[in-house]
Amino acid sequence: MGMPEKKYALKDLHIGMTVKAEQLSEIYNKYMILLFDNKESKAGRLVFCGDAQNQEYDSWFMQPLPITPIYNDKNELEDMA
């Protein structure tokens, strides 16, 4: 059994860093997008992190490489507890 993946906090993030979606699971109420080189990639490059779905956010959906949008809603988490 391997070591668990490092979980990142908002203060750890910077645009261009390589991460897996699971590593961002403890960052709440931020819109993030990971860009992948191909569909088989397990880790992607953080290309967007912001408070709103703005024009820059939307533009990532118009390019050809695979992306994963991420938003962890703090209120939804608390409702499930």
Side-chain angles (χ1 to χ4, degrees), residues 36-51:
F36 296 89
D37 292 331
N38 58 60
K39 291 179 182 178
E40 288 76 38
S41 295
K42 300 286 186 226
R45 191 166 33 100
L46 182 66
V47 293
F48 182 87
C49 182
D51 294 321

Side-chain angles (χ1 to χ4, degrees), residues 17-48:
M17 70 185 294
T18 301
V19 296
K20 294 180 180 178
E22 305 82 47
Q23 294 177 290
L24 304 176
S25 64
E26 295 176 3
I27 298 172
Y28 299 101
N29 302 330
K30 290 285 181 191
Y31 293 93
M32 299 172 279
I33 294 178
L34 295 182
L35 177 71
F36 296 89
D37 292 331
N38 58 60
K39 291 179 182 178
E40 288 76 38
S41 295
K42 300 286 186 226
R45 191 166 33 100
L46 182 66
V47 293
F48 182 87

Side-chain angles (χ1 to χ4, degrees), residues 15 24 29-35 45-72:
I15 297 299
L24 304 176
N29 302 330
K30 290 285 181 191
Y31 293 93
M32 299 172 279
I33 294 178
L34 295 182
L35 177 71
R45 191 166 33 100
L46 182 66
V47 293
F48 182 87
C49 182
D51 294 321
Q53 294 178 351
N54 57 23
Q55 187 174 357
E56 180 187 357
Y57 178 90
D58 292 342
S59 71
W60 285 105
F61 290 84
M62 302 302 174
Q63 54 78 46
L65 293 172
I67 63 169
T68 295
I70 299 168
Y71 183 82
N72 301 309

Side-chain angles (χ1 to χ4, degrees), residues 1-7 20 22-23:
M1 202 161 135
M3 293 286 293
E5 295 280 348
K6 172 185 166 91
K7 299 282 186 171
K20 294 180 180 178
E22 305 82 47
Q23 294 177 290

